[in-house]
Amino acid sequence: MNKEKNAHLKIAMLGHKTVPAIDSSRGGIEVVVEELAPRLVEMGCEVTCYNRTGCDNGGLKEYKGVKLKPVFTIHRKGLATMTSSIFATLKATFGGYDVIHFHAEGSCAMLWLPTILGKRCVATIHDDVVITSTEKNSLFCPDRGMKLTTA
């Protein structure tokens, strides 16, 4: 990709626990986000990762050019993913981003909000399926810009 072409592309990432993950919260999703986000920065994108509060990242506000923002999280069984996804999606939807990248199934429960508001979204399910939205008003409809591919 051309660095100049991506110079003004603002991307928000959510669904991971924290980047960089320096405690036991490091899983496969965190590895992917921790590798992908800095590479997008190198390509000229402006990337922000919404980290869950309460997950240790050493108090960093930036990592390899990636902006790190905390998002409110209730750390109770069954609530952490839901609460962090709701608040991260709200911040990302109204934060002036060009693309919102959702990681994992749990965070994708909020994918409908930015999609109906015309935001471009990418959803990566860290198993075998990737769903991408390329048109403003598409909502899981292949004939309206949704593309389902296997990884």
Side-chain angles (χ1 to χ4, degrees):
M1 280 190 152
N2 185 343
K3 192 171 186 172
E4 287 180 23
K5 184 178 178 182
N6 298 318
H8 299 288
L9 189 62
K10 291 178 66 178
I11 302 170
M13 292 194 180
L14 58 102
H16 57 280
K17 293 176 185 163
T18 189
V19 170
I22 58 175
D23 62 7
S24 62
S25 64
R26 185 176 173 92
I29 295 167
E30 289 71 34
V31 170
V32 170
V33 175
E34 198 170 312
E35 291 291 325
L36 177 61
R39 290 179 191 191
L40 289 169
V41 169
E42 287 174 10
M43 292 168 54
C45 299
E46 183 180 319
V47 181
T48 302
C49 287
Y50 284 96
N51 290 339
R52 294 181 187 182
T53 55
C55 294
D56 188 17
N57 75 345
L60 297 174
K61 296 193 184 300
E62 189 172 300
Y63 174 74
K64 296 183 178 181
V66 178
K67 295 177 185 175
L68 306 175
K69 294 190 178 181
V71 65
F72 177 74
T73 306
I74 297 173
H75 290 279
R76 297 268 189 263
K77 186 174 174 104
L79 292 178
T81 299
M82 182 180 70
T83 56
S84 63
S85 296
I86 290 169
F87 291 108
T89 300
L90 288 170
K91 286 184 174 190
T93 299
F94 300 106
Y97 296 98
D98 300 306
V99 177
I100 303 172
H101 191 162
F102 289 79
H103 291 269
E105 302 90 337
S107 65
C108 288
M110 290 300 297
L111 185 63
W112 63 271
L113 178 64
T115 304
I116 64 170
L117 294 175
K119 297 287 182 180
R120 292 183 179 207
C121 298
V122 176
T124 302
I125 309 303
H126 294 260
D127 191 11
D128 292 327
V129 179
V130 177
I131 302 171
T132 58
S133 173
T134 56
E135 290 199 17
K136 279 177 135 181
N137 298 317
S138 60
L139 186 60
F140 299 107
C141 299
D143 61 332
R144 297 180 70 201
M146 296 302 291
K147 185 168 112 181
L148 179 65
T149 58
T150 56

